[in-house]
Amino acid sequence: MENRKALDLKKPLFVWNLIMALFSIAASVRMLPVLVEIVYRLGFNYSVCFIEPILDEAQQTVFWMWLFICSKVVELGDTIFIVLRKKNLLFLHWYHHGITLIFTWYGVNHLVGLYHWFIAMNVIVHSLMYTYYTISTLGVKIPRTVAMTITSLHIFQMIFGIILNLCAKFQNDCDIPNEIMSYLFLYISYAIIFVRFFYFSYISTCHDKKE
């Protein structure tokens, strides 16, 4: 696109964000209640460590886990829209999407309990994020605090992901492979990048305006 004119793509972008928002909402509605039930009936430790789900409800969410894994490929469409519209392609964007795609496909067979947590957190945050994007493409002015809240939820997601990984690593009854440490470092890197993005997008800019 270096020597080409930026494309508008408002209508396709609206449809894209709407589809992604609806998928994320549907996945949230399906995954979150089951996760809550697992924690309530079998405990937090089990929810993190289980490899083979013993609840019928948990087995039924395998389909949504599969859809989520496939969605990581579909989400690369976000990057296509950024490139075609000649918007700023942030390091946070391509690093987050690319690495998540690789690790999601890599660990799905042996981190079922953790993945349930990871997916539930991700689709909940994405429900809000893609809904925000959908409304924004209509030209509706949304308060800056909404974007700050969504970014804050991303940061919370990454911090809680670190906690989940540590719990899985140091629980004696947790049959988690050593590869779990790579997911720990992954979430740490995400947390750092999102905190940095929050600072330069909201705190630093506010400070500059005051000066």
Side-chain angles (χ1 to χ4, degrees), residues 26 59 64 110 126 132 176 184:
Q59 293 173 358
W64 284 96
H110 52 263
H126 277 201
Y132 169 80
I176 296 293
L184 174 61

Side-chain angles (χ1 to χ4, degrees), residues 63-203:
F63 172 69
W64 284 96
M65 294 178 74
W66 177 80
L67 286 180
F68 174 83
I69 293 167
C70 293
S71 75
K72 296 298 108 179
V73 179
V74 178
E75 281 181 10
L76 297 178
D78 290 349
T79 308
I80 295 175
F81 275 104
I82 291 174
V83 172
L84 293 178
R85 297 169 69 225
K86 299 188 76 168
K87 300 296 183 180
N88 186 24
L89 183 58
L90 300 175
F91 170 77
L92 179 149
H93 175 91
W94 63 260
Y95 174 81
H96 177 64
H97 277 249
I99 299 298
T100 300
L101 171 62
I102 295 170
F103 275 78
T104 299
W105 282 80
Y106 169 72
V108 66
N109 289 327
H110 52 263
L111 296 174
V112 179
L114 276 177
Y115 261 50
H116 205 126
W117 274 102
F118 295 162
I119 292 172
M121 292 192 299
N122 188 271
V123 293
I124 290 171
V125 175
H126 277 201
S127 297
L128 300 174
M129 182 184 74
Y130 279 111
T131 300
Y132 169 80
Y133 289 160
T134 303
I135 297 173
S136 297
T137 54
L138 295 175
V140 178
K141 269 199 168 185
I142 303 176
R144 183 181 175 87
T145 52
V146 175
M148 294 177 66
T149 301
I150 294 174
T151 306
S152 298
L153 289 174
H154 271 107
I155 295 172
F156 173 79
Q157 175 191 348
M158 303 315 164
I159 293 174
F160 196 65
I162 294 171
I163 295 172
L164 289 170
N165 279 282
L166 289 173
C167 289
K169 177 63 179 177
F170 293 108
Q171 285 187 70
N172 294 328
D173 57 345
C174 219
D175 186 20
I176 296 293
N178 292 328
E179 287 85 350
I180 189 63
M181 291 305 293
S182 62
Y183 286 84
L184 174 61
F185 293 125
L186 178 69
Y187 269 89
I188 290 174
S189 71
Y190 285 168
I192 293 172
I193 292 171
F194 273 100
V195 168
R196 184 180 183 278
F197 175 79
F198 186 93
Y199 175 78
F200 285 106
S201 297
Y202 307 118
I203 298 176

